[in-house]
Each structure stands twice: as C-alpha cells, then as structure tokens.
Amino acid sequence: MVTLVGNLCSNPELKKISANDNMPETQVCTFRVACDRKIPTDRTDGKGRTVYDSTDVLYIGVECWGALAANAKSTLNVGSPVIISGKLLTSSWEEPGEDKAVKRSIIRCRAYHIGPNLARESFVPLRKVLEMAEDTAQDRLKKLVRMHQEGQQQAQQQNNVKQEQVRANPSGNAA
C-alpha cells in the first residue's frame, strides 16, 4: 500500500465498463495527481506565512472503481488537494520500432481510498450542503407564503374599500 498526497492536475474522467454480457457494468474513474516535496523559503506572503517552493514533483495516474469512481467524479476537480491510499501497478507493452520492438511501461495507482487533504483546504460534507440547501429552500418557501398572505390581505383591503364606496354612493353604480 502507498499513500499519495498532492493535487489533481487533470479533471476526473468517468467511464462505464462491461467486461462481457455475463458481468454487470461497472465504473472506472481516472485522473492525474501531482505530488511534490515542499521546501520553506525566506519569503512570506501578505499574511506573514512562509512561502514554500515545490521540488521533486511526481505526476502519477490514478484509477478507482465502482462507488469510489462515481464519488471521485462528482467531488473532485483540477487543483483539489487529496490524500490517496492504494497500490502501485505497472502496465507493460511493446511498440514497433525501427529495428525491433520497443518495450514501454507506465506506473499508476489503483486507489482504494480518496479523501480531502484537510491540512490544505476545508471540506463541507454533502450532508451539511444538503442541510444548508434545505434551510435555504425552507426560508424561500416561508417568504413566498408570507408574500402570498400579504397579497391576499391587500386584495381583501381593496375589496373592503370598494364595498365601502358602493355603500357610501349606491347611485353611482346604477347603470
């Protein structure tokens, strides 16, 4: 098992895969992560915090499957700070060359767990987002009900004024 700490440097791509007719369809999500080592400098930012330089940058492809793939696609985007736990895999193949076949390989990470890096960015859980949306929707509904009730009261008041005018001047309505 390995742990990668870094930022997404590509947007997640979700694909649906079915190995054959007997297998159920599943999802795979792929993206790239940039992992680096931070070195403190003598500089500070506008808030007095130390500025760090990046070194030893590793760009690595990540894949995840199933529910993790769907959640990664709906949650992550370029720049998201993440912590990934998974295993490293090597894929090898041969490509035709001028004289002979050339061997190629690539290392990627199969992620089993992906989470936000809370040392770099705060995280709002979906439950909290839904609660905030529900509160906002309820506030809007209350406002609409209040506006409707005020409109009905104004209409009733206008109707009462018209009835008073008719009572005060009954001959003005004879036509």
Side-chain angles (χ1 to χ4, degrees):
M1 292 291 280
V2 297
T3 301
L4 303 173
V5 178
N7 294 67
L8 266 69
C9 53
S10 70
N11 277 317
E13 293 182 22
L14 188 67
K15 296 177 186 170
K16 295 185 186 229
I17 296 176
S18 180
N20 58 43
D21 293 337
N22 298 331
M23 296 292 292
E25 189 176 75
T26 189
Q27 300 177 63
V28 62
C29 183
T30 58
F31 53 89
R32 290 178 55 81
V33 173
C35 305
D36 61 358
R37 187 166 55 101
K38 303 285 187 193
I39 298 174
T41 64
D42 296 334
R43 302 183 314 264
T44 57
D45 64 5
K47 296 180 181 178
R49 296 178 297 200
T50 302
V51 174
Y52 290 83
D53 283 339
S54 294
T55 186
D56 302 332
V57 181
L58 168 69
Y59 297 95
I60 189 160
V62 177
E63 68 180 33
C64 51
W65 294 79
L68 182 59
N71 290 336
K73 172 63 177 163
S74 66
T75 306
L76 303 175
N77 52 39
V78 171
S80 295
V82 293
I83 300 174
I84 298 170
S85 177
K87 70 178 182 177
L88 296 179
L89 304 172
T90 303
S91 296
S92 301
W93 67 95
E94 289 187 5
E95 292 180 353
E98 291 181 20
D99 296 334
K100 60 181 181 174
V102 178
K103 291 185 178 184
R104 303 279 186 197
S105 65
I106 189 168
I107 297 173
R108 67 186 187 285
C109 175
R110 176 166 296 159
Y112 296 119
H113 307 281
I114 302 173
N117 185 350
L118 298 179
R120 301 267 324 277
E121 187 175 274
S122 64
F123 172 74
V124 180
L126 179 59
R127 177 178 20 85
K128 182 66 176 170
V129 171
L130 293 175
E131 287 173 5
M132 292 183 331
E134 185 176 333
D135 290 346
T136 301
Q138 287 178 356
D139 290 344
R140 287 183 179 171
L141 179 60
K142 288 176 186 176
K143 183 179 178 181
L144 287 172
V145 168
R146 190 172 49 250
M147 288 171 52
H148 177 71
Q149 290 171 343
E150 289 171 359
Q152 284 183 329
Q153 288 174 353
Q154 288 176 353
Q156 183 63 36
Q157 288 172 353
Q158 289 174 354
N159 190 23
N160 290 344
V161 168
K162 287 180 185 177
Q163 288 178 358
E164 291 286 327
Q165 290 173 345
V166 168
R167 286 189 200 130
N169 187 8
S171 61
N173 291 328

